[in-house]
Short mmCIF file of all heavy atoms in Angstrom, two decimals:
data_model
loop_
_atom_site.label_atom_id
_atom_site.label_comp_id
_atom_site.label_asym_id
_atom_site.label_seq_id
_atom_site.Cartn_x
_atom_site.Cartn_y
_atom_site.Cartn_z
N LEU A 140 162.33 -94.90 232.47
CA LEU A 140 162.83 -93.63 233.03
C LEU A 140 164.33 -93.84 233.26
O LEU A 140 164.76 -94.98 233.40
CB LEU A 140 162.09 -93.31 234.32
CG LEU A 140 160.60 -92.98 234.15
CD1 LEU A 140 159.99 -92.81 235.53
CD2 LEU A 140 160.39 -91.80 233.29
N PRO A 141 165.06 -92.76 233.46
CA PRO A 141 166.48 -92.95 233.79
C PRO A 141 166.64 -93.80 235.06
O PRO A 141 165.82 -93.65 235.95
CB PRO A 141 166.98 -91.55 234.02
CG PRO A 141 166.01 -90.66 233.26
CD PRO A 141 164.69 -91.37 233.30
N TYR A 142 167.59 -94.69 235.04
CA TYR A 142 167.80 -95.59 236.16
C TYR A 142 168.11 -94.84 237.44
O TYR A 142 168.93 -93.95 237.50
CB TYR A 142 168.97 -96.55 235.83
CG TYR A 142 169.36 -97.41 237.01
CD1 TYR A 142 168.56 -98.36 237.47
CD2 TYR A 142 170.61 -97.17 237.63
CE1 TYR A 142 168.90 -99.12 238.57
CE2 TYR A 142 170.98 -97.97 238.69
CZ TYR A 142 170.10 -98.93 239.18
OH TYR A 142 170.46 -99.67 240.24
N GLN A 143 167.40 -95.22 238.50
CA GLN A 143 167.70 -94.73 239.82
C GLN A 143 168.21 -95.83 240.69
O GLN A 143 167.54 -96.90 240.79
CB GLN A 143 166.39 -94.17 240.46
CG GLN A 143 165.79 -93.00 239.75
CD GLN A 143 166.67 -91.80 239.81
OE1 GLN A 143 167.20 -91.48 240.89
NE2 GLN A 143 166.84 -91.06 238.73
N PRO A 144 169.42 -95.73 241.26
CA PRO A 144 169.99 -96.82 242.07
C PRO A 144 169.08 -97.11 243.28
O PRO A 144 168.45 -96.24 243.83
CB PRO A 144 171.34 -96.31 242.46
CG PRO A 144 171.27 -94.82 242.29
CD PRO A 144 170.25 -94.58 241.25
N ARG A 145 169.04 -98.40 243.66
CA ARG A 145 168.30 -98.78 244.86
C ARG A 145 168.93 -98.19 246.06
O ARG A 145 170.13 -97.98 246.15
CB ARG A 145 168.31 -100.34 245.03
CG ARG A 145 167.48 -100.98 243.97
CD ARG A 145 167.30 -102.43 244.20
NE ARG A 145 168.43 -103.03 244.90
CZ ARG A 145 168.35 -104.07 245.69
NH1 ARG A 145 167.18 -104.61 245.94
NH2 ARG A 145 169.38 -104.60 246.23
N MET A 146 168.14 -97.91 247.05
CA MET A 146 168.63 -97.31 248.32
C MET A 146 168.96 -98.46 249.25
O MET A 146 168.20 -98.87 250.10
CB MET A 146 167.62 -96.40 248.94
CG MET A 146 167.38 -95.14 248.09
SD MET A 146 166.19 -94.03 248.84
CE MET A 146 166.89 -93.72 250.45
N ILE A 147 170.15 -99.04 249.10
CA ILE A 147 170.54 -100.22 249.88
C ILE A 147 170.59 -99.87 251.38
O ILE A 147 170.29 -100.70 252.22
CB ILE A 147 171.91 -100.80 249.43
CG1 ILE A 147 172.14 -102.18 250.04
CG2 ILE A 147 173.06 -99.87 249.69
CD1 ILE A 147 171.26 -103.24 249.56
N ASN A 148 170.92 -98.62 251.73
CA ASN A 148 170.94 -98.25 253.13
C ASN A 148 169.53 -98.34 253.77
O ASN A 148 169.37 -98.71 254.90
CB ASN A 148 171.58 -96.88 253.34
CG ASN A 148 170.89 -95.81 252.48
OD1 ASN A 148 170.10 -96.07 251.63
ND2 ASN A 148 171.27 -94.60 252.73
N ARG A 149 168.49 -98.04 252.93
CA ARG A 149 167.12 -98.16 253.45
C ARG A 149 166.77 -99.64 253.66
O ARG A 149 166.14 -99.99 254.63
CB ARG A 149 166.13 -97.51 252.51
CG ARG A 149 164.77 -97.34 253.20
CD ARG A 149 163.71 -96.82 252.25
NE ARG A 149 162.90 -97.97 252.01
CZ ARG A 149 162.31 -98.27 250.87
NH1 ARG A 149 162.41 -97.49 249.86
NH2 ARG A 149 161.58 -99.31 250.74
N VAL A 150 167.18 -100.47 252.76
CA VAL A 150 166.94 -101.93 252.84
C VAL A 150 167.56 -102.47 254.13
O VAL A 150 166.92 -103.18 254.89
CB VAL A 150 167.40 -102.66 251.60
CG1 VAL A 150 167.26 -104.15 251.80
CG2 VAL A 150 166.62 -102.22 250.37
N ILE A 151 168.84 -102.11 254.34
CA ILE A 151 169.56 -102.58 255.51
C ILE A 151 168.87 -102.05 256.78
O ILE A 151 168.64 -102.80 257.74
CB ILE A 151 171.02 -102.14 255.53
CG1 ILE A 151 171.78 -102.90 254.38
CG2 ILE A 151 171.71 -102.39 256.83
CD1 ILE A 151 173.16 -102.37 254.11
N GLY A 152 168.45 -100.78 256.76
CA GLY A 152 167.78 -100.20 257.92
C GLY A 152 166.44 -100.88 258.21
O GLY A 152 166.13 -101.14 259.36
N ASP A 153 165.67 -101.20 257.14
CA ASP A 153 164.41 -101.88 257.33
C ASP A 153 164.59 -103.27 257.96
O ASP A 153 163.88 -103.62 258.91
CB ASP A 153 163.68 -102.09 255.99
CG ASP A 153 163.07 -100.81 255.48
OD1 ASP A 153 162.95 -99.79 256.24
OD2 ASP A 153 162.63 -100.77 254.28
N VAL A 154 165.55 -104.02 257.49
CA VAL A 154 165.83 -105.34 258.02
C VAL A 154 166.29 -105.24 259.45
O VAL A 154 165.75 -106.00 260.36
CB VAL A 154 166.90 -106.10 257.19
CG1 VAL A 154 167.38 -107.36 257.88
CG2 VAL A 154 166.31 -106.42 255.81
N ALA A 155 167.12 -104.29 259.83
CA ALA A 155 167.58 -104.13 261.22
C ALA A 155 166.41 -103.77 262.12
O ALA A 155 166.26 -104.28 263.21
CB ALA A 155 168.69 -103.04 261.30
N THR A 156 165.50 -102.87 261.63
CA THR A 156 164.32 -102.50 262.38
C THR A 156 163.42 -103.67 262.61
O THR A 156 162.89 -103.90 263.74
CB THR A 156 163.61 -101.37 261.67
OG1 THR A 156 164.47 -100.25 261.56
CG2 THR A 156 162.33 -100.94 262.46
N HIS A 157 163.14 -104.47 261.56
CA HIS A 157 162.29 -105.63 261.66
C HIS A 157 162.92 -106.68 262.66
O HIS A 157 162.17 -107.28 263.45
CB HIS A 157 162.07 -106.31 260.30
CG HIS A 157 161.30 -105.42 259.34
ND1 HIS A 157 160.35 -104.52 259.68
CD2 HIS A 157 161.43 -105.35 257.99
CE1 HIS A 157 159.89 -103.93 258.62
NE2 HIS A 157 160.53 -104.34 257.56
N LEU A 158 164.20 -106.90 262.61
CA LEU A 158 164.87 -107.82 263.52
C LEU A 158 164.70 -107.33 264.98
O LEU A 158 164.45 -108.12 265.87
CB LEU A 158 166.33 -108.01 263.16
CG LEU A 158 166.62 -108.79 261.90
CD1 LEU A 158 168.12 -108.78 261.60
CD2 LEU A 158 166.07 -110.17 261.94
N ALA A 159 164.82 -106.03 265.18
CA ALA A 159 164.63 -105.47 266.50
C ALA A 159 163.17 -105.67 266.99
O ALA A 159 162.93 -106.02 268.16
CB ALA A 159 164.99 -104.00 266.54
N ASP A 160 162.21 -105.49 266.10
CA ASP A 160 160.81 -105.67 266.42
C ASP A 160 160.52 -107.15 266.78
O ASP A 160 159.78 -107.46 267.74
CB ASP A 160 159.89 -105.27 265.26
CG ASP A 160 159.86 -103.75 265.04
OD1 ASP A 160 160.32 -103.00 265.93
OD2 ASP A 160 159.46 -103.35 263.95
N LEU A 161 161.11 -108.07 266.02
CA LEU A 161 160.94 -109.51 266.32
C LEU A 161 161.63 -109.85 267.64
O LEU A 161 161.08 -110.66 268.44
CB LEU A 161 161.50 -110.37 265.19
CG LEU A 161 160.66 -110.33 263.91
CD1 LEU A 161 161.44 -111.02 262.78
CD2 LEU A 161 159.32 -110.99 264.10
N THR A 162 162.77 -109.26 267.93
CA THR A 162 163.43 -109.54 269.24
C THR A 162 162.53 -109.06 270.37
O THR A 162 162.39 -109.75 271.38
CB THR A 162 164.78 -108.79 269.25
OG1 THR A 162 165.63 -109.30 268.22
CG2 THR A 162 165.51 -109.02 270.62
N ALA A 163 161.88 -107.94 270.19
CA ALA A 163 160.98 -107.39 271.24
C ALA A 163 159.78 -108.34 271.42
O ALA A 163 159.22 -108.37 272.51
CB ALA A 163 160.48 -106.00 270.83
N ARG A 164 159.45 -109.13 270.41
CA ARG A 164 158.33 -110.08 270.51
C ARG A 164 158.77 -111.42 271.06
O ARG A 164 157.98 -112.37 271.16
CB ARG A 164 157.73 -110.27 269.14
CG ARG A 164 156.91 -109.07 268.68
CD ARG A 164 156.15 -109.42 267.43
NE ARG A 164 155.48 -108.24 266.98
CZ ARG A 164 154.62 -108.22 265.96
NH1 ARG A 164 154.36 -109.36 265.35
NH2 ARG A 164 154.04 -107.12 265.59
N GLY A 165 160.03 -111.59 271.40
CA GLY A 165 160.54 -112.82 272.04
C GLY A 165 161.35 -113.72 271.13
O GLY A 165 161.73 -114.78 271.57
N PHE A 166 161.69 -113.26 269.91
CA PHE A 166 162.55 -114.03 269.05
C PHE A 166 163.98 -113.97 269.62
O PHE A 166 164.38 -112.92 270.12
CB PHE A 166 162.59 -113.53 267.64
CG PHE A 166 161.50 -114.07 266.77
CD1 PHE A 166 160.19 -113.55 266.84
CD2 PHE A 166 161.70 -115.09 265.86
CE1 PHE A 166 159.17 -114.05 266.04
CE2 PHE A 166 160.72 -115.59 265.06
CZ PHE A 166 159.46 -115.05 265.15
N GLU A 167 164.70 -115.08 269.52
CA GLU A 167 166.11 -115.13 269.87
C GLU A 167 166.87 -115.43 268.60
O GLU A 167 166.51 -116.35 267.86
CB GLU A 167 166.35 -116.18 270.94
CG GLU A 167 165.72 -115.83 272.27
CD GLU A 167 166.11 -116.81 273.37
OE1 GLU A 167 167.15 -117.46 273.25
OE2 GLU A 167 165.30 -116.89 274.33
N PHE A 168 167.90 -114.60 268.32
CA PHE A 168 168.66 -114.73 267.09
C PHE A 168 170.07 -115.19 267.33
O PHE A 168 170.68 -114.93 268.34
CB PHE A 168 168.67 -113.38 266.35
CG PHE A 168 167.36 -113.02 265.74
CD1 PHE A 168 166.43 -112.25 266.44
CD2 PHE A 168 167.05 -113.45 264.48
CE1 PHE A 168 165.21 -111.93 265.90
CE2 PHE A 168 165.81 -113.15 263.91
CZ PHE A 168 164.89 -112.37 264.65
N SER A 169 170.62 -115.89 266.34
CA SER A 169 172.01 -116.28 266.31
C SER A 169 172.48 -116.24 264.86
O SER A 169 171.65 -116.14 263.94
CB SER A 169 172.23 -117.69 266.90
OG SER A 169 171.57 -118.64 266.09
N ASP A 170 173.79 -116.25 264.71
CA ASP A 170 174.30 -116.28 263.30
C ASP A 170 175.29 -117.38 263.14
O ASP A 170 175.87 -117.85 264.12
CB ASP A 170 174.94 -114.91 262.88
CG ASP A 170 176.06 -114.49 263.80
OD1 ASP A 170 177.08 -115.23 263.85
OD2 ASP A 170 176.02 -113.45 264.41
N THR A 171 175.41 -117.87 261.91
CA THR A 171 176.42 -118.88 261.55
C THR A 171 177.42 -118.18 260.70
O THR A 171 177.11 -117.42 259.79
CB THR A 171 175.75 -120.02 260.81
OG1 THR A 171 174.70 -120.57 261.59
CG2 THR A 171 176.77 -121.08 260.42
N ARG A 172 178.71 -118.43 261.00
CA ARG A 172 179.80 -117.77 260.28
C ARG A 172 180.66 -118.78 259.60
O ARG A 172 180.81 -119.94 260.06
CB ARG A 172 180.62 -116.93 261.23
CG ARG A 172 179.84 -115.76 261.82
CD ARG A 172 180.61 -115.01 262.91
NE ARG A 172 179.79 -113.99 263.45
CZ ARG A 172 179.87 -112.70 263.07
NH1 ARG A 172 180.73 -112.30 262.20
NH2 ARG A 172 179.05 -111.81 263.66
N ASP A 173 181.31 -118.36 258.52
CA ASP A 173 182.25 -119.25 257.83
C ASP A 173 183.58 -119.18 258.51
O ASP A 173 183.81 -118.50 259.55
CB ASP A 173 182.35 -118.91 256.33
CG ASP A 173 182.91 -117.54 256.07
OD1 ASP A 173 183.51 -116.90 256.98
OD2 ASP A 173 182.80 -117.06 254.90
N ALA A 174 184.58 -119.91 257.97
CA ALA A 174 185.91 -119.98 258.62
C ALA A 174 186.61 -118.63 258.76
O ALA A 174 187.44 -118.44 259.67
CB ALA A 174 186.80 -120.93 257.81
N ARG A 175 186.18 -117.67 257.92
CA ARG A 175 186.85 -116.35 257.97
C ARG A 175 186.09 -115.34 258.87
O ARG A 175 186.46 -114.25 259.03
CB ARG A 175 186.97 -115.75 256.58
CG ARG A 175 187.87 -116.62 255.68
CD ARG A 175 188.12 -115.93 254.44
NE ARG A 175 188.97 -114.78 254.72
CZ ARG A 175 189.59 -114.04 253.84
NH1 ARG A 175 189.56 -114.46 252.60
NH2 ARG A 175 190.33 -113.06 254.16
N GLY A 176 184.98 -115.86 259.45
CA GLY A 176 184.21 -115.02 260.37
C GLY A 176 183.08 -114.23 259.66
O GLY A 176 182.38 -113.41 260.33
N ASN A 177 182.81 -114.47 258.37
CA ASN A 177 181.77 -113.81 257.68
C ASN A 177 180.43 -114.44 258.01
O ASN A 177 180.31 -115.68 258.06
CB ASN A 177 182.00 -113.83 256.16
CG ASN A 177 183.27 -113.15 255.77
OD1 ASN A 177 183.51 -112.04 256.19
ND2 ASN A 177 184.12 -113.84 255.00
N VAL A 178 179.40 -113.65 258.21
CA VAL A 178 178.05 -114.12 258.47
C VAL A 178 177.53 -114.85 257.26
O VAL A 178 177.51 -114.25 256.16
CB VAL A 178 177.11 -113.00 258.93
CG1 VAL A 178 175.67 -113.55 259.11
CG2 VAL A 178 177.61 -112.36 260.21
N VAL A 179 177.08 -116.10 257.45
CA VAL A 179 176.53 -116.89 256.35
C VAL A 179 175.01 -116.92 256.43
O VAL A 179 174.31 -116.81 255.45
CB VAL A 179 177.11 -118.33 256.37
CG1 VAL A 179 176.46 -119.20 255.30
CG2 VAL A 179 178.61 -118.33 256.28
#
């Protein structure tokens, strides 16, 4: 069928929602960044 682009905003939203659900269950999160401050 004609190509339909992926809905990247939905993917980002799903991940953010899942991270919030895990935080509510007691997960603690941190991030590691490179020298420029980008999340690795």
Side-chain angles (χ1 to χ4, degrees):
L140 295 174
Y142 172 68
Q143 297 293 318
R145 289 188 330 150
M146 293 180 57
I147 192 70
N148 54 351
R149 193 186 106 214
V150 173
I151 292 170
D153 286 348
V154 170
T156 300
H157 296 327
L158 290 175
D160 291 345
L161 289 170
T162 300
R164 290 188 183 187
F166 275 80
E167 293 186 23
F168 287 92
S169 65
D170 59 60
T171 303
R172 295 174 183 261
D173 64 16
R175 298 190 67 165
N177 299 310
V178 175
V179 177

